[in-house]
């Protein structure tokens, strides 16, 4: 059995294939059909580069959030005597968020969901303790939650594309 490389997705398929089994490229289609298919494939493949860009931005965002968390730990420690538990919790949370940012590209989905859940939990806990904290820094809070949530969406979309079209990158 002879194999040929699909000009669209670069996967090997049987020589006598009518369509690519990975991307459905029409080998026997008209030039117009082939061009449209390649164009759509390229447009859909952009999600991979968008995901990589988003990961990089979210990595910096997680670093910023961890620094702010560390600063709040220092403020708690210096301003309120006896708030050692809050200080230790803030240092722990800041460290987890920093490490998630540092290793984000190794396990993007898991290391985006962990800080998202952690941050959302902290905001919820703060709201339950003192409802007035909900609106303190609301724009910053929304940026963090929306950015991390959108990153989860892009990661899933990218993984789906890679799986459906057998793309390695």
């Amino acid at each position: 059995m002879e194999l040929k490389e699909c000009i669209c997705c670069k996967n090997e398929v049987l020589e006598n294939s009518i369509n690519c089994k990975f991307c459905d490229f029409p080998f026997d289609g008209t030039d117009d059909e082939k061009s449209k298919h390649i164009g759509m494939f390229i447009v859909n493949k952009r999600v991979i580069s968008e995901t990589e860009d988003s990961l990089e931005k979210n990595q910096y965002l997680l670093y910023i959030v961890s620094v702010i968390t560390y600063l709040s730990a220092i403020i708690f420690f210096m301003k309120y005597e006896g708030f050692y538990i809050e200080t230790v919790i803030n240092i722990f949370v800041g460290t987890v968020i920093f490490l998630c940012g540092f290793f984000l590209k190794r396990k993007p989905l898991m290391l985006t969901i962990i800080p998202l859940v952690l941050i959302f939990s902290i905001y919820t806990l703060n709201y339950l303790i003192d409802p007035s904290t909900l609106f303190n820094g609301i724009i910053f809070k929304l940026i963090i939650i929306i950015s991390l949530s959108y990153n989860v969406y892009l990661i899933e979309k990218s993984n789906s594309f890679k799986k459906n079209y057998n793309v390695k990158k």
Side-chain angles (χ1 to χ4, degrees):
M1 282 194 223
E2 292 290 318
L3 296 175
K4 64 181 174 182
E5 184 179 87
C6 174
I7 62 170
C8 188
C9 69
K10 307 297 183 210
N11 287 300
E12 289 189 345
V13 294
L14 293 175
E15 182 69 41
N16 60 352
S17 298
I18 296 172
N19 290 353
C20 175
K21 70 178 184 177
F22 297 102
C23 71
D24 205 32
F25 179 78
F27 294 113
D28 294 337
T30 65
D31 287 342
D32 190 43
E33 290 172 333
K34 291 177 182 179
S35 297
K36 284 181 183 178
H37 184 83
I38 291 173
M40 288 304 298
F41 184 82
I42 291 169
V43 167
N44 290 331
K45 191 175 180 182
R46 266 191 46 212
V47 74
I48 295 172
S49 61
E50 288 175 7
T51 302
E52 290 169 358
D53 292 344
S54 179
L55 282 174
E56 193 168 309
K57 291 174 186 172
N58 278 299
Q59 196 170 28
Y60 292 121
L61 180 66
L62 291 175
Y63 291 150
I64 291 168
V65 171
S66 68
V67 167
I68 290 170
T69 306
Y70 288 136
L71 289 175
S72 67
I74 293 169
I75 290 169
F76 264 112
F77 183 75
M78 297 179 92
K79 190 173 181 180
Y80 303 106
E81 292 281 328
F83 278 85
Y84 301 117
I85 294 173
E86 288 83 353
T87 302
V88 170
I89 290 171
N90 278 336
I91 290 172
F92 174 75
V93 168
T95 302
V96 169
I97 292 172
F98 178 83
L99 290 173
C100 286
F102 188 76
F103 294 109
L104 185 63
K105 293 184 180 178
R106 291 187 186 173
K107 295 269 189 191
L109 185 60
M110 181 179 71
L111 295 178
T112 300
I113 290 175
I114 289 171
L116 178 62
V117 169
L118 192 59
I119 290 167
F120 192 74
S121 299
I122 290 170
Y123 293 160
T124 303
L125 184 63
N126 284 340
Y127 172 74
L128 293 174
I129 293 170
D130 182 9
S132 68
T133 62
L134 178 65
F135 296 106
N136 295 342
I138 189 74
I139 294 185
F140 185 67
K141 291 175 182 177
L142 287 173
I143 288 171
I144 293 168
I145 291 172
I146 291 170
S147 179
L148 292 173
S149 299
Y150 182 66
N151 200 40
V152 169
Y153 166 76
L154 281 178
I155 292 167
E156 280 298 307
K157 194 172 174 185
S158 176
N159 288 344
S160 174
F161 179 84
K162 289 175 185 177
K163 181 181 175 188
N164 288 342
Y165 296 111
N166 198 32
V167 175
K168 303 295 182 223
K169 182 186 175 210

